[in-house]
Amino acid sequence: MTTVQRNLDIYRTRLITLQNILGRAEAELFPDDPEKTALLTARLAPDMLPLPNQVWFTCRQAELLLGKLNSVPVKEFGVEQASFADLRALVAETIARLEAQGEPDEAFAEAETHLEIPGFPKLPISGQNYIDEWLTPNFYFHLVTAYDILRANGLALGKVDYMSHLVPMLAGAARS
């Protein structure tokens, strides 16, 4: 598997994990609140963004890579008015776009791109450094924060839920 394709697959499999834990949260948490209103405002600390932002930023990292690879603008998402169903749909749509991505241009890894952070000048950076130093750390930060918010709100999650992408490999190893 090539470098860029490997990163796309990592984002896809971890987004499947996020999709699964959001599904569990919808089924198990706040049964008297079908809209899951409490989860839409849940955050780990007062100065941190709530769950919808964490889900969106997780998806956004994958979308930023797809946008760079395909020279298309990144789809925006209305976090402020998002429902729990919208969050689940966002994750599903991002997974679908990752799965629909054809063979990526591996030249992206060596080519120069730009890191754009509001309030800072554009930073010229290699595609690989963009993935390794910006997208992937942000992807995992927001994924783990979403996981932690759900756990802090009563969803019984453990490492096996977070590392669910390993289950197919473990099943194969058990058969050997």
Side-chain angles (χ1 to χ4, degrees), residues 114-135:
H114 290 92
L115 174 58
E116 297 179 48
I117 302 171
F120 292 91
K122 285 185 182 179
L123 174 65
I125 189 170
S126 74
Q128 193 62 56
N129 279 340
Y130 180 71
I131 292 169
D132 292 344
E133 304 299 334
W134 181 254
L135 295 180

Side-chain angles (χ1 to χ4, degrees), residues 6-20:
R6 182 173 174 276
N7 283 281
L8 291 168
D9 193 54
I10 286 170
Y11 296 158
R12 182 187 61 78
T13 58
R14 282 29 169 221
L15 284 169
I16 291 170
T17 295
L18 181 57
Q19 183 178 48
N20 291 338

Side-chain angles (χ1 to χ4, degrees), residues 70-109:
N70 300 309
S71 299
V72 296
V74 176
K75 177 184 169 185
E76 293 301 324
F77 180 73
V79 173
E80 294 78 23
Q81 56 273 22
S83 68
F84 202 79
D86 292 335
L87 297 178
R88 295 202 54 223
L90 173 66
V91 175
E93 290 167 13
T94 306
I95 292 167
R97 278 193 282 284
L98 288 164
E99 289 174 342
Q101 172 67 37
E103 193 67 33
D105 180 6
E106 286 299 318
F108 174 79

Side-chain angles (χ1 to χ4, degrees), residues 6-164:
R6 182 173 174 276
N7 283 281
L8 291 168
D9 193 54
I10 286 170
Y11 296 158
R12 182 187 61 78
T13 58
R14 282 29 169 221
L15 284 169
I16 291 170
T17 295
L18 181 57
Q19 183 178 48
N20 291 338
I21 64 174
L22 287 172
R24 284 194 41 211
E26 186 173 40
E28 298 174 26
L29 296 179
F30 306 106
D32 297 333
D33 179 11
E35 300 300 316
K36 307 300 177 205
T37 308
L39 289 177
L40 298 176
T41 58
R43 53 183 79 216
L44 288 181
D47 65 340
M48 292 182 78
L49 294 170
L51 179 66
N53 297 77
Q54 303 304 332
V55 171
W56 178 66
F57 279 123
T58 304
C59 292
R60 185 167 175 79
Q61 305 318 302
E63 294 286 358
L64 285 168
L65 181 53
L66 290 171
K68 293 267 189 188
L69 291 172
N70 300 309
S71 299
V72 296
V74 176
K75 177 184 169 185
E76 293 301 324
F77 180 73
V79 173
E80 294 78 23
Q81 56 273 22
S83 68
F84 202 79
D86 292 335
L87 297 178
R88 295 202 54 223
L90 173 66
V91 175
E93 290 167 13
T94 306
I95 292 167
R97 278 193 282 284
L98 288 164
E99 289 174 342
Q101 172 67 37
E103 193 67 33
D105 180 6
E106 286 299 318
F108 174 79
E110 299 304 319
E112 182 178 282
T113 191
H114 290 92
L115 174 58
E116 297 179 48
I117 302 171
F120 292 91
K122 285 185 182 179
L123 174 65
I125 189 170
S126 74
Q128 193 62 56
N129 279 340
Y130 180 71
I131 292 169
D132 292 344
E133 304 299 334
W134 181 254
L135 295 180
T136 300
N138 277 291
F139 179 87
Y140 280 114
F141 175 86
H142 295 291
L143 173 65
V144 169
T145 303
Y147 171 100
D148 290 342
I149 288 170
L150 294 172
R151 185 165 177 170
N153 278 274
L155 190 61
L157 293 171
K159 188 170 255 186
V160 109
D161 300 294
Y162 180 75
M163 303 295 285
S164 64

